[in-house]
């Protein structure tokens, strides 16, 4: 009797991945390549999205029925996208191994970007932890779950630098600063890949979206990017480069153009920079149909031209589009391209498969009962730690927070107060129904006796019917906690917004509650920085909660009641108004800088709003009170082979122990090209016990002073510098030094 899939999965005996050098995998790949027909080679360059790749105009000629299976059996598929159930993965892999002529294993990839089965906070929230170690540990745990689903690769990290909160995908990013982005990017890769894949629980990562996808004009999704090479190199490339240096397995091209050419067929980006300058030897995959979309960009006449341009530019693997499958063979036969171009791409693909151990065990990562590996206590504990460190306290007047347990009568109001819809976009296998709402979290911490709840209104729409009930319960309470913001579906891919307001009638509800003259705490849920000007003036305290995933309510309750001390810092500036966008901390000075960022005539400013944001990059409050003093540098002039040591004393003058993210910025007083007013160069998360002080030391070297000069060389010119250390990008404790090579 034939075994069921489950029984077959149960009988699988996993073989360890052999740790092989690049030279060994290259040799193995070359040997296998010799046995392959041209069609089989091209098959390795295609990523299938079953059941059918539904791209208009690209119906596969083998027709409707079961054509995914047919393609696999014919050796025309290299990998599979977004199939996440183990049984289907097993079935498809079995077809490849047993039915295709050479039995080359498929790899399976999906987007597990901030959690797999356990929902971690959205990436922008985690970036606010300023904690690479936390990111690395989280990604190890995420990889552990991914590695029990049957998947081999996660399409993460996204390291697109972002300065425009209108873009819905800022929620996937590490925010606006290239140094922070790079540090976190490398941590993601280390966490997922854990070195050499010989661990059964590591998965391959993919650095995306190459290149500069976060700079879409107007924050409009998939829109044009137009950027100088200097801006690209200085600010946008470092995050991607950090992934390459950390050994990321793959790169994904972006939907946008760079310098007039779609990134997916951009030779300057893919060959000159990635392969030649960075010596990157992993594989490059397109984004979802981004190659076929060159027809709509109007840079390719048809699918044949798409294939030609992409292979010449260095694209190894097509996601969903079938232009390679359909046209590469004829391009070789007609002599328009050399087969060696295809060989080069296929070698990348095969090497990857050898590297991650698919030839040792094609059923790697497949388990009969995978659920037992998911949402383990240690994974949930880490998700809670991540949530705690992601929350940013934006305001806390008169120590409104923390709340006093079982003393105050609390009115908890708002559409996100008892909502579990907080997985956030790209939630992969995490489930909203397993997320703890704020109300449940508060009740499980302090009981429900002193908490009254009313929804008040929906996130969207103009229904005010429930205002009265909310006002009534608020009247009976000592303090109002208002939980509002965006719906989680309002950020993520294809979720650009032209307004950055809190939607619906939520602001009206807030105003009605404010009129009661009670202490008001606002908790903002969102996938992007929103306009919080009214709240900054009218709330006594504000917590930016993002979307925190499974442990949402537990983490927020713990912070609200003072069991945990908030320590998150903004990875992205919060504008007063959308009209300021892009507003980011490391702007240039201009020839007519405004005084203090305020209005003055004929200076670079607005007549109706300051230049600076409402809340700047790096900003976030704590229940502790940190004072910075004694900023010392060990030399006034620093030479090429030296290091500069910077030390600062931080006193926690409060009775509450807390973690502080100490930030070091430099400012170059003048240079051969304009440089930002400030540049983040170091940060350190440190615990400072109550009423204690600590001396924190940083060292910087000449590479930290380097900048792309007029000749497009990144060098530290002999110049004068300022150094600032403090708790956000406005830090004012400073010292001066000079660099003399
Ligand atoms: C997104 C990528 C993602 C891919 C596969 C695309 O639409 O831009 O980030 O990895 O889909 O799901």
């Amino acid at each position: 009797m034939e075994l069921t899939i489950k029984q077959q999965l149960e009988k699988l005996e996993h073989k360890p991945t052999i740790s092989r050098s690049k030279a060994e995998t290259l040799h193995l790949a070359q040997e296998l390549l010799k046995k392959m027909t041209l069609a089989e080679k091209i098959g390795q360059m295609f990523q299938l999205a079953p059941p059918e790749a539904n791209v208009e105009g690209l119906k596969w000629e083998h027709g409707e029925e079961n054509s995914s299976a047919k393609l696999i059996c014919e050796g025309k598929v290299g990998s599979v996208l977004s199939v996440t159930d183990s049984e289907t993965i097993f079935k498809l892999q079995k077809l490849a191994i047993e039915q295709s002529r050479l039995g080359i294993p498929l790899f399976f990839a999906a987007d597990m970007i901030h959690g797999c089965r356990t929902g971690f906070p959205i990436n922008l929230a985690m970036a606010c932890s300023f904690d690479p170690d936390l990111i690395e540990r989280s990604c190890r745990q995420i990889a552990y779950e991914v590695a029990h689903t049957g998947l081999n690769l996660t399409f993460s990290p996204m390291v697109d630098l972002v300065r425009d909160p209108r873009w819905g995908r800022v929620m996937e990013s590490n925010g606006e600063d290239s140094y922070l982005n790079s540090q976190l990017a490398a941590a993601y890769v280390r966490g997922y890949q854990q070195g050499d894949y010989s661990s059964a629980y590591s998965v391959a990562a993919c650095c995306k979206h190459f290149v500069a996808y976060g700079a879409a004009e107007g924050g409009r999704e998939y829109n044009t990017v137009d950027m100088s090479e200097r801006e690209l190199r200085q600010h946008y490339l470092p995050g991607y480069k950090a992934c390459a240096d950390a050994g990321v397995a793959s790169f994904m091209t972006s939907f946008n153009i760079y310098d007039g050419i779609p990134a997916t067929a951009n030779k300057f980006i893919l060959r000159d920079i990635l392969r030649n300058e960075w010596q990157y030897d992993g594989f490059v995959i397109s984004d979802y149909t981004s190659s076929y979309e060159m027809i709509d960009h109007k840079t390719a006449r048809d699918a044949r031209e798409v294939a030609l341009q992409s292979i010449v530019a260095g694209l190894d693997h097509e996601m969903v589009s079938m232009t390679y499958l359909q046209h590469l063979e004829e391009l070789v036969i007609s002599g328009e391209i050399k087969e060696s171009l295809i060989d080069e791409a296929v070698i990348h693909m095969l090497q990857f498969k050898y590297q991650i151990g698919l030839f040792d065990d094609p059923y790697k990562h497949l388990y009969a009962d995978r659920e037992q590996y998911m949402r383990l206590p240690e994974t949930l504990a880490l998700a809670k730690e991540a949530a705690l460190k992601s929350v940013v306290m934006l305001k806390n007047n008169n120590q409104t927070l923390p709340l006093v347990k079982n003393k105050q009568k609390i009115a908890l109001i708002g559409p996100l107060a008892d909502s579990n819809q907080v997985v956030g976009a790209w939630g992969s296998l995490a489930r909203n129904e397993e997320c703890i709402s704020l109300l449940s979290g508060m009740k499980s911490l302090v009981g429900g006796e002193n908490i009254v709840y009313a929804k008040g209104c929906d996130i969207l729409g103009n229904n005010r019917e429930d205002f009265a009930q909310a006002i009534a319960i608020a009247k009976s309470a000592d303090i109002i906690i208002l939980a509002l913001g965006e719906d989680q579906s309002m950020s993520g891919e294809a979720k650009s917004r032209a307004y950055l307001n809190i939607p619906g009638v939520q602001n009206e509800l807030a105003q009605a509650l404010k009129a009661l003259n009670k202490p008001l705490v606002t908790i903002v849920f969102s996938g992007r920085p929103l306009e919080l000007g009214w709240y900054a003036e009218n709330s006594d305290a504000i917590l930016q909660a993002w979307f925190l995933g499974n442990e949402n309510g537990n983490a927020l309750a713990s912070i609200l009641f003072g069991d945990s001390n908030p320590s998150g810092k903004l990875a992205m500036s919060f504008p007063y108004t959308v009209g300021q966008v892009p507003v980011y901390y490391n702007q240039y000075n201009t020839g007519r800088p405004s005084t203090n960022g305020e209005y003055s005539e004929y200076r670079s400013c607005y007549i109706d709003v300051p230049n600076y944001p409402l809340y700047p990059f790096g900003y976030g409050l704590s229940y502790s009170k940190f004072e910075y003093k004694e900023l010392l540098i060990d030399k006034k002039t620093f030479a090429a082979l030296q290091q500069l040591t910077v030390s600062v004393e931080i006193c926690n003058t409060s009775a509450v122990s807390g973690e502080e993210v100490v930030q070091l910025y430099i400012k170059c007083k003048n240079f051969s090209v304009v440089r930002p007013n400030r540049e983040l160069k170091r940060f350190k998360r440190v615990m400072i016990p109550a009423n204690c002080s600590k001396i924190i030391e940083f060292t910087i070297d000449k590479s930290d002073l380097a900048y792309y000069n007029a000749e497009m060389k990144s060098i530290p010119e002999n110049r004068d510098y300022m150094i600032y250390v403090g708790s956000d990008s406005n830090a004012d404790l400073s010292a001066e030094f000079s660099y003399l090579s």
Side-chain angles (χ1 to χ4, degrees):
M1 208 176 66
E2 213 187 309
L3 296 178
T4 63
I5 299 276
K6 177 133 200 282
Q7 287 165 333
Q8 294 182 55
L9 285 171
E10 271 159 7
K11 284 181 80 99
L12 283 178
E13 276 174 30
H14 289 298
K15 298 181 196 75
T17 294
I18 298 167
S19 177
R20 297 186 178 89
S21 68
K22 284 275 176 182
E24 284 170 292
T25 56
L26 178 63
H27 175 71
L28 289 165
Q30 282 166 337
E31 289 305 303
L32 180 53
L33 190 79
K34 288 181 193 157
K35 301 184 190 139
M36 295 169 78
T37 63
L38 180 55
E40 283 165 339
K41 291 179 189 174
I42 295 165
Q44 289 303 309
M45 300 167 73
F46 174 54
Q47 179 162 83
L48 175 87
E52 259 325 330
N54 251 338
V55 190
E56 217 187 319
L58 283 180
K59 265 247 167 279
W60 181 248
E61 61 191 29
H62 288 290
E64 289 74 53
E65 247 177 60
N66 208 13
S67 61
S68 298
K70 190 166 165 69
L71 283 179
I72 292 173
C73 296
E74 288 171 354
K76 288 179 173 160
V77 178
S79 70
V80 177
L81 168 68
S82 290
V83 171
T84 54
D85 74 286
S86 310
E87 299 206 350
T88 312
I89 293 177
F90 177 73
K91 276 197 261 180
L92 297 178
Q93 188 68 297
K94 209 160 146 43
L95 284 179
I97 300 298
E98 293 175 7
Q99 309 280 324
S100 74
R101 190 180 73 92
L102 291 168
I104 299 175
L106 304 165
F107 73 87
F108 294 83
D111 300 82
M112 304 273 170
I113 76 165
H114 56 95
C116 172
R117 199 46 194 82
T118 305
F120 281 69
I122 58 168
N123 307 84
L124 182 58
M126 287 209 280
C128 293
S129 70
F130 277 62
D131 191 344
D133 173 63
L134 168 75
I135 302 278
E136 184 173 340
R137 286 184 290 122
S138 301
C139 290
R140 283 182 89 91
Q141 216 60 32
I142 294 167
Y144 180 85
E145 289 188 351
V146 176
H148 285 96
T149 56
L151 291 163
N152 314 112
L153 181 144
T154 176
F155 288 126
S156 175
M158 181 188 112
V159 299
D160 302 322
L161 193 86
V162 294
R163 291 170 168 175
D164 192 334
R166 290 173 295 182
W167 193 46
R169 301 194 80 167
V170 301
M171 55 82 42
E172 296 173 53
S173 79
N174 292 319
E176 73 189 35
D177 177 72
S178 84
Y179 177 74
L180 176 64
N181 187 26
S182 308
Q183 297 295 309
L184 301 186
Y188 271 97
V189 176
R190 289 194 302 269
Y192 291 135
Q193 298 192 166
Q194 296 155 44
D196 66 358
Y197 307 106
S198 52
S199 148
Y201 310 126
S202 60
V203 290
C206 179
C207 170
K208 70 189 188 184
H209 308 83
F210 204 49
V211 71
Y213 179 35
E217 274 183 6
R220 202 183 80 207
E221 183 65 298
Y222 314 127
N223 201 9
T224 298
V225 167
D226 193 6
M227 175 186 299
S228 68
E229 187 181 335
R230 173 181 316 288
E231 193 66 16
L232 179 78
R233 287 188 180 277
Q234 187 64 49
H235 299 288
Y236 285 78
L237 287 186
Y240 309 104
K241 173 73 161 49
C243 289
D245 291 345
V248 74
S250 58
F251 263 68
M252 185 189 295
T253 66
S254 54
F255 288 119
N256 56 281
I257 58 171
Y258 178 73
D259 197 16
I261 297 171
T264 304
N266 194 314
K267 189 178 149 295
F268 172 66
I269 294 302
L270 301 183
R271 287 204 189 273
D272 299 354
I273 293 184
L274 186 64
R275 296 292 185 202
N276 299 338
E277 282 183 33
W278 298 356
Q279 295 289 301
Y280 179 69
D281 60 5
F283 74 90
V284 177
I285 183 170
S286 75
D287 200 349
Y288 199 105
T289 64
S290 69
S291 50
Y292 190 68
E293 290 164 21
M294 282 180 238
I295 297 172
D296 277 326
H297 277 294
K298 310 287 180 201
T299 50
R301 215 172 288 138
D302 50 25
R304 192 175 192 276
E305 232 173 56
V306 168
L308 176 63
Q309 292 174 3
S310 306
I311 189 74
V312 169
L315 180 76
D316 299 321
H317 207 58
E318 260 195 319
M319 186 193 289
V320 179
S321 305
M322 291 173 156
T323 76
Y324 278 2
L325 275 191
Q326 291 181 323
H327 299 289
L328 279 186
E329 196 160 357
E330 70 193 66
L331 286 169
V332 173
I333 291 166
S334 69
E336 281 162 273
I337 57 167
K338 292 213 173 78
E339 190 166 341
S340 58
L341 264 186
I342 290 173
D343 290 350
E344 182 189 37
V346 178
I347 289 283
H348 291 145
M349 302 316 304
L350 296 177
Q351 263 194 289
F352 169 69
K353 292 182 177 183
Y354 278 111
Q355 205 85 47
I356 63 170
L358 282 173
F359 284 97
D360 303 320
D361 178 7
Y363 302 105
K364 191 178 174 177
H365 298 164
L366 283 164
Y367 297 87
D369 182 11
R370 71 184 194 186
E371 205 49 30
Q372 61 180 300
Y373 305 99
M374 306 291 159
R375 285 170 45 85
L376 297 178
E378 57 266 37
T379 316
L380 286 165
L382 198 51
K384 183 170 174 193
E385 181 189 338
L388 287 170
K389 290 179 171 171
S390 296
V391 173
V392 185
M393 186 159 74
L394 299 175
K395 184 176 178 186
N396 191 23
N397 270 13
N398 306 321
Q399 296 181 319
T400 306
L401 293 179
L403 304 171
V404 190
K405 282 184 194 162
N406 298 321
K407 281 248 167 65
Q408 294 157 297
K409 184 150 189 220
I410 299 166
L412 177 63
I413 296 171
L416 283 141
D418 192 23
S419 168
N420 57 10
Q421 305 295 298
V422 290
V423 162
W426 294 108
S428 57
L429 303 178
R431 298 176 191 161
N432 285 312
E433 57 273 24
E434 285 166 351
C435 292
I436 295 163
S437 78
L438 173 56
L439 178 61
S440 319
M442 287 170 73
K443 280 186 174 166
S444 69
L445 191 65
V446 296
E449 228 169 277
N450 291 308
I451 304 174
V452 280
Y453 159 75
K455 187 174 175 196
C457 64
D458 293 323
I459 295 173
L460 295 167
N462 55 9
N463 188 345
R464 297 170 181 83
E465 268 168 27
D466 295 338
F467 275 26
Q469 191 209 355
I471 292 166
I473 67 150
K475 278 185 179 157
S476 71
D478 302 318
I479 185 164
I480 303 167
I481 301 187
L482 185 54
L484 39 64
E486 290 184 321
D487 187 86
Q488 58 176 345
S489 65
M490 294 173 75
S491 53
E493 185 176 352
K495 300 294 162 58
S496 295
R497 290 186 66 193
Y499 297 97
L500 294 176
N501 61 326
I502 292 182
V505 289
Q506 297 180 88
N507 288 334
E508 275 182 49
L509 175 66
Q511 284 157 18
L513 294 170
K514 173 69 189 170
L516 303 178
N517 270 325
K518 307 227 168 184
L520 177 67
V521 176
T522 305
I523 306 187
V524 184
F525 294 76
S526 65
R528 54 159 69 77
L530 293 177
E531 292 170 349
L532 299 180
W534 184 88
Y535 296 89
E537 271 178 33
N538 293 286
S539 299
D540 297 282
I542 307 176
L543 293 179
Q544 174 63 33
W546 310 107
F547 292 111
L548 294 175
N550 281 181
E551 288 293 315
N552 167 70
N554 289 339
L556 285 171
S558 178
I559 288 178
L560 280 174
F561 288 103
D563 287 1
S564 304
N565 191 349
S567 59
K569 300 280 186 174
L570 294 180
M572 202 176 171
S573 304
F574 273 48
Y576 278 97
T577 167
V578 68
Q580 289 179 304
V581 168
V583 57
Y584 48 94
Y585 86 95
N586 48 353
Q587 298 199 333
Y588 300 125
N589 205 40
T590 82
R592 291 189 176 193
S594 85
T595 332
N596 302 326
E598 306 281 347
Y599 178 70
S600 60
E601 209 170 19
Y602 302 114
R603 312 304 288 175
S604 175
C605 49
Y606 302 98
I607 58 172
D608 47 5
V609 69
N611 285 0
Y612 48 81
L614 173 63
Y615 295 116
F617 174 81
Y619 174 82
L621 304 173
S622 160
Y623 295 147
S624 312
K625 195 164 172 350
F626 300 114
E627 278 172 21
Y628 284 70
K629 56 185 188 194
E630 300 293 326
L631 176 62
L632 300 172
I633 50 176
D634 70 342
K635 43 186 96 59
K636 281 278 170 202
T637 302
F638 133 55
L641 296 174
Q642 293 178 318
Q643 288 192 320
L644 182 74
T645 303
V646 182
S647 70
V648 69
E649 184 179 347
I650 303 160
C651 310
N652 180 352
T653 57
S654 71
V656 189
S657 299
E659 290 193 6
E660 165 71 326
V661 177
V662 187
Q663 300 160 48
L664 181 152
Y665 297 84
I666 64 157
K667 175 192 176 96
C668 181
K669 287 194 177 170
N670 41 62
F671 201 75
S672 61
V673 297
V674 274
R675 286 181 72 152
N677 267 320
R678 289 203 174 179
E679 301 162 41
L680 179 70
K681 290 297 171 188
R682 292 284 182 278
F683 58 84
K684 212 178 251 179
R685 182 176 256 279
V686 286
M687 156 57 75
I688 308 186
N691 299 309
C692 286
S693 59
K694 264 194 187 165
I695 294 184
I696 305 300
E697 238 181 54
F698 295 104
T699 49
I700 59 171
D701 61 35
K702 66 171 183 181
S703 66
D704 296 303
L705 308 181
Y707 201 85
Y708 281 92
N709 69 0
E711 280 76 48
M712 206 64 97
K713 297 237 155 28
S714 186
I715 57 156
E717 294 176 355
N718 288 342
R719 300 283 175 176
D720 297 333
Y721 290 84
M722 297 289 292
I723 215 151
Y724 298 91
V725 179
S727 61
D728 61 50
S729 54
N730 286 332
D732 51 15
L733 198 58
S734 65
E736 286 185 60
F737 67 91
S738 307
Y739 176 77
L740 202 59
S741 55

